[in-house]
Amino acid sequence: MRTPIIAGNWKLNKNPKEAQEFLNAIEGKLPESGVEAVIGAPAVDLYTLVEGSKNTPLKISAENSYFEDEGAFTGENSPKVLAEMGVEYVIIGHSERREYFHETDEDINKKAVKIIANGLTPIVCCGETLEQREANETEGFVTGQIEAALKGISAADVANLVIAYEPIWAIGTGKTATSDQAQEVVHVIREKVASLYDADTADKVRILYGGSVKPESIKELMSKEDIDGGLVGGASLDPESFIALVNYQK
Ligand code: PGA
């Protein structure tokens, strides 16, 4: 049984004071079991979020980290320090990082390896552009991203990590993929993991859908066999909306 995950991705939004206000607003309103609630936040908010969510069901994610633990890498985030702080997840390979910060499949693979070595769980993002979808290239492109990201990672580690399928044309556009479109690609990703590893690993890895997920659409998405949760940008910023998302089973 795969435990569902609802992971917020705040992107470059909220300061520590606003992060604390968010924690105050969701206090006591997250399910104690049956779903993992995660907030991905800017590095400057992580200390406040980790400290303020102790003894609550909320888990905290970074939105990026470097593939070295320390050294002369001005401006980067250490995965080792993230782990020491109590951060549990790190989002990597988000399309915004690939596009604006020129992250390559190779960078993302190096990050995944280092994040796992530090005992953190990567949330590995993939997803196609509208042009690729219209040219029928979605499956080949997305499975290629996943194969590259997982290079050299053991089956046991892959079984524990999280993949997020986020079609770029659906991010921040209000255009959610239909639940059938999302299920179709998420299923293909799971089959790819089975072919790279084995059926058991594919059965365990959790695969989320992301792209304009809202409280109104989460239930339908979650009804699909292969979709194990959502990576949610805009709709995770408002505490009431985040509470509604993580309580989708009610
Ligand atoms: P969105 O963002 O929910 O605002 O579309 C999703 C994401 O980029 O992770």
Side-chain angles (χ1 to χ4, degrees):
M1 255 307 274
R2 300 185 295 265
T3 304
I5 307 184
I6 303 296
N9 173 15
W10 283 355
K11 309 192 178 186
L12 191 53
N13 293 292
K14 294 194 193 287
N15 61 30
K17 182 169 173 282
E18 291 161 339
Q20 183 59 54
E21 284 163 6
F22 182 94
L23 291 179
N24 298 345
I26 64 168
E27 199 185 332
K29 297 185 176 153
L30 304 182
E32 293 289 333
S33 61
V35 59
E36 269 184 61
V38 178
I39 285 290
V44 288
D45 296 333
L46 293 174
Y47 182 79
T48 303
L49 288 169
V50 169
E51 293 301 309
S53 62
K54 281 190 176 147
N55 307 314
T56 81
L58 186 68
K59 298 183 175 180
I60 305 303
S61 176
E63 295 177 12
N64 183 30
S65 81
Y66 196 47
F67 48 75
E68 296 290 349
D69 287 338
E70 59 197 8
F73 304 107
T74 302
E76 288 295 340
N77 277 327
S78 160
K80 177 166 170 271
V81 175
L82 292 174
E84 287 166 355
M85 281 173 70
V87 168
E88 293 184 58
Y89 289 94
V90 185
I91 299 168
I92 50 171
H94 192 282
S95 58
E96 288 152 16
R97 296 224 46 97
R98 293 178 191 259
E99 183 180 353
Y100 306 135
F101 305 99
H102 313 295
E103 287 192 9
T104 64
D105 281 337
E106 196 192 351
D107 295 331
I108 292 154
N109 174 244
K110 282 166 121 172
K111 290 180 182 200
V113 168
K114 202 68 175 178
I115 286 163
I116 292 167
N118 277 292
L120 296 159
T121 303
I123 301 176
V124 183
C125 302
C126 61
E128 82 287 1
T129 63
L130 189 57
E131 295 70 44
Q132 287 169 322
R133 173 160 285 266
E134 285 170 350
N136 260 330
E137 292 167 5
T138 298
E139 294 185 4
F141 181 71
V142 167
T143 55
Q145 285 182 313
I146 290 304
E147 181 167 8
L150 302 184
K151 204 170 151 211
I153 300 178
S154 72
D157 286 334
V158 170
N160 281 325
L161 58 73
V162 179
I163 294 170
Y165 166 58
E166 299 205 303
I168 295 170
W169 48 271
I171 295 177
T173 57
K175 270 193 227 162
T176 326
T178 65
S179 56
D180 285 335
Q181 283 173 320
Q183 160 63 25
E184 200 181 341
V185 182
V186 169
H187 181 71
V188 167
I189 295 170
R190 202 177 294 289
E191 284 186 328
K192 181 71 180 180
V193 173
S195 79
L196 290 170
Y197 295 89
D198 51 65
D200 186 50
T201 306
D203 196 45
K204 286 185 177 143
V205 66
R206 290 181 290 177
I207 311 180
L208 317 182
Y209 165 78
S212 299
V213 175
K214 302 277 180 278
E216 304 78 57
S217 56
I218 188 72
K219 212 176 175 127
E220 164 71 18
L221 287 162
M222 293 305 288
S223 72
K224 297 293 172 183
E225 197 182 333
D226 286 288
I227 301 178
D228 302 318
L231 183 57
V232 189
S236 71
L237 290 166
D238 172 52
E240 291 312 317
S241 161
F242 185 69
I243 291 164
L245 284 160
V246 295
N247 287 290
Y248 72 91
Q249 281 159 325
K250 285 193 183 155

